Amino acid sequence: MKSVKIIECPRDAMQGIKPFIPTPEKVAYLQALLRVGFDSIDFGSFVSPKAIPQMVDTADVLSQLDLSQTTSKLLAIIANTRGAEIASKHPEIRYLGFPFSISENFQMRNTHKTISESLITLTEILEIADQTNKEVVAYLSMGFGNPYGDPWNVDIVGDWTEKMSIMGVRILSLSDTVGSATPEAIAYLFSNLIPKYPHIEFGAHLHTTTDTWFEKVDAAYKAGCTRFDGAIQGFGGCPMAKNDLTGNMPTEKLLSYFTANKVPTNLNPLSFESAYNAASKLFNAYP
């Protein structure tokens, strides 16, 4: 049976927390995550400190990480060309993550750019990544619908996927930014897009409430998705979305699903338990 990639997203978990988490505490938590065996860790972001003050120390955090014993690759979120240029100077970073919304309203809230402007930015980021041996992970925010009244249907998602394929995007994560995805939409999109674009690795960045996680993971996996983002205990959510944050997909729920279905995740159970406990300690101290 094909194994799945689990991408842990501590950046997503931390970014909305108002009190500043001291750099050494971030480093200690990330170090615990690096021992687990996640495919990738979305560890920080190079964005405006005015927009996301919590991530202002990303470069400092990176400089203090011991990466000598880990197989996990590092992913940093960037929102513009300048962020891509800064992130690309760090050889430890493998992936540049760019949030691209098919909701005009959300794109403005998230990056202060229109969709047309964001397409130009993505083109520039792809060029920077190509020149610096990085890979771009594009996130199709509001990929399953949005609460802002913008037009949305599966054909619109398909059109944007086609555009991104032509541009050269090779990793595309469909993002359920506010937790609005239905199992039907998840199943339809992945089952249609994955066979049509075999050169693209599709991911599921699902936000969820406690009672809907199973049906979302089940729909995505059965439709062929083998890349899943999660955050331990479901901490976090997008601070640029609605005020009532819908939590991230809890990583332990992903593990329980794949373990029950005998799907390999390549994670170390004891190291995961240790990281889970570290998450409790950290996020309960900075609620």
Side-chain angles (χ1 to χ4, degrees):
M1 184 173 284
K2 195 174 182 182
S3 63
V4 293
K5 292 182 180 179
I6 307 292
I7 288 77
E8 179 64 20
C9 303
R11 183 271 320 164
D12 206 347
M14 293 181 195
Q15 67 180 5
I17 295 174
K18 297 246 179 338
F20 186 73
I21 302 170
T23 302
E25 295 187 33
K26 289 174 180 158
V27 171
Y29 181 50
L30 288 168
Q31 213 64 62
L33 295 176
L34 286 165
R35 289 189 283 268
V36 177
F38 295 109
D39 178 82
S40 310
I41 297 178
D42 175 355
F43 82 102
S45 61
F46 293 89
V47 298
S48 166
K50 289 181 181 177
I52 309 289
Q54 189 64 254
M55 294 290 111
V56 69
D57 60 344
T58 291
D60 289 338
V61 168
L62 180 60
S63 70
Q64 296 177 44
L65 291 176
D66 178 3
L67 302 172
S68 63
Q69 301 296 316
T70 188
T71 58
S72 298
K73 299 173 283 289
L74 295 183
L75 182 153
I77 295 294
I78 43 106
N80 52 40
T81 309
R82 182 171 177 272
E85 289 170 342
I86 295 170
S88 67
K89 288 183 170 64
H90 296 277
E92 305 91 343
I93 295 173
R94 172 75 171 273
Y95 298 110
L96 307 179
F98 180 69
F100 181 91
S101 181
I102 57 177
S103 155
E104 193 82 64
N105 279 303
F106 185 71
Q107 192 67 25
M108 288 297 295
R109 286 173 69 125
N110 203 28
T111 65
H112 305 294
K113 284 186 169 65
T114 64
I115 286 178
S116 297
E117 290 169 334
S118 297
L119 274 176
I120 296 170
T121 299
L122 178 56
T123 300
E124 293 169 345
I125 290 169
L126 286 162
E127 290 172 358
I128 291 168
D130 189 51
Q131 293 163 4
T132 56
N133 200 30
K134 309 293 185 195
E135 294 181 68
V136 173
V137 178
Y139 296 87
L140 215 53
S141 303
M142 303 295 168
F144 299 99
N146 71 80
Y148 302 117
D150 298 302
W152 181 91
N153 58 53
V154 292
D155 293 330
I156 291 174
V157 179
D159 289 345
W160 281 113
T161 302
E162 175 68 17
K163 287 176 184 172
M164 295 205 164
S165 173
I166 293 169
M167 291 171 71
V169 170
R170 293 296 173 263
I171 305 175
L172 186 61
S173 190
L174 302 187
S175 299
D176 183 20
T177 316
V178 292
S180 60
T182 63
E184 293 77 20
I186 292 170
Y188 183 88
L189 284 170
F190 283 122
S191 63
N192 281 277
L193 294 176
I194 290 172
K196 188 174 180 182
Y197 300 97
H199 57 285
I200 294 180
E201 179 182 336
F202 284 92
H205 184 95
L206 301 169
H207 288 200
T208 187
T209 53
T210 53
D211 58 342
T212 59
W213 73 268
F214 180 89
E215 61 190 33
K216 293 184 179 187
V217 176
D218 190 56
Y221 180 68
K222 287 179 177 174
C225 182
T226 56
R227 178 188 174 98
F228 289 82
D229 290 7
I232 290 175
Q233 299 186 43
F235 287 119
C238 182
M240 299 304 172
K242 297 190 302 183
N243 291 330
D244 48 333
L245 293 184
T246 303
N248 282 297
M249 174 62 68
T251 310
E252 63 274 14
K253 299 296 189 186
L254 290 172
L255 292 185
S256 69
Y257 177 87
F258 294 125
T259 300
N261 287 279
K262 296 182 170 54
V263 179
T265 62
N266 304 314
L267 302 190
N268 182 306
L270 286 177
S271 294
F272 181 79
E273 185 178 349
S274 176
Y276 184 95
N277 292 336
S280 296
K281 182 179 177 183
L282 179 68
F283 292 105
N284 287 331
Y286 299 96

